[in-house]
Amino acid sequence: MNTGLMDTGPLGIEQQPSFRSRPPMCAGYTNISSGTLDQLIAAIAADAFKVPLQEVRASLHDEQGQVGVRLVVPLMVRAAKENSTAVFSTLDGGTVFEWAAAARKVVAARFALLAGSTVARVDVRFTGIHEATSRTAGRVQ
């Protein structure tokens, strides 16, 4: 029966486990397929670039012992009417390059957090435009 307390030895002194203590090791291994990692990075990218997941293509490659990421995503823009002409802008303002740089940082940080691997570079290729509507703006579908 597990009471959540840790036994310290033959004296039977019990204490609460420390937050710094590591969980006990268990024999075996965990294997994550490359396809699963590609899907993980695609989901992270869809969220970071605010586009539907089905419109993201992602792949990982070796970058001198670290992870390299290649992303193909549509550019998410918002249309606004100004003097009867459409004006397009990125969702968060700024130039496309500033917005892409910020999203690349998010992708690298989240992948490192979830997969435990350092990302050396994130290459982004925008292919097409995905126009945000009031229903889909800022939401991953």
Side-chain angles (χ1 to χ4, degrees):
M1 180 165 111
N2 186 357
T3 62
L5 298 176
M6 188 184 328
D7 189 352
T8 59
L11 296 178
I13 301 170
E14 294 180 349
Q15 64 184 31
Q16 292 293 332
S18 166
F19 287 108
R20 295 178 188 205
S21 66
R22 293 184 179 180
M25 296 301 287
C26 181
Y29 66 92
T30 301
N31 186 5
I32 303 173
S33 72
S34 62
T36 301
L37 290 175
D38 288 348
Q39 290 175 356
L40 175 63
I41 201 71
I44 293 169
D47 187 52
F49 285 93
K50 296 176 176 57
V51 296
L53 178 58
Q54 62 268 20
E55 294 188 30
V56 176
R57 290 191 320 245
S59 63
L60 302 173
H61 61 278
D62 180 60
E63 187 71 32
Q64 297 177 347
Q66 295 180 326
V67 176
V69 178
R70 288 187 187 107
L71 298 173
V72 179
V73 297
L75 178 62
M76 177 67 86
V77 295
R78 177 184 4 228
K81 293 252 179 177
E82 230 176 67
N83 299 332
S84 74
T85 60
V87 176
F88 291 94
S89 67
T90 61
L91 287 180
D92 298 331
T95 68
V96 171
F97 296 103
E98 292 168 340
W99 190 62
R104 281 195 320 263
K105 287 179 185 177
V106 168
V107 168
R110 287 184 186 164
F111 186 78
L113 180 68
L114 292 172
S117 296
T118 304
V119 177
R121 64 182 297 133
V122 178
D123 298 326
V124 177
R125 181 175 179 205
F126 287 116
T127 55
I129 299 289
H130 186 89
E131 187 177 340
T133 63
S134 59
R135 267 187 29 241
T136 62
R139 186 180 75 173
V140 176
Q141 297 176 331

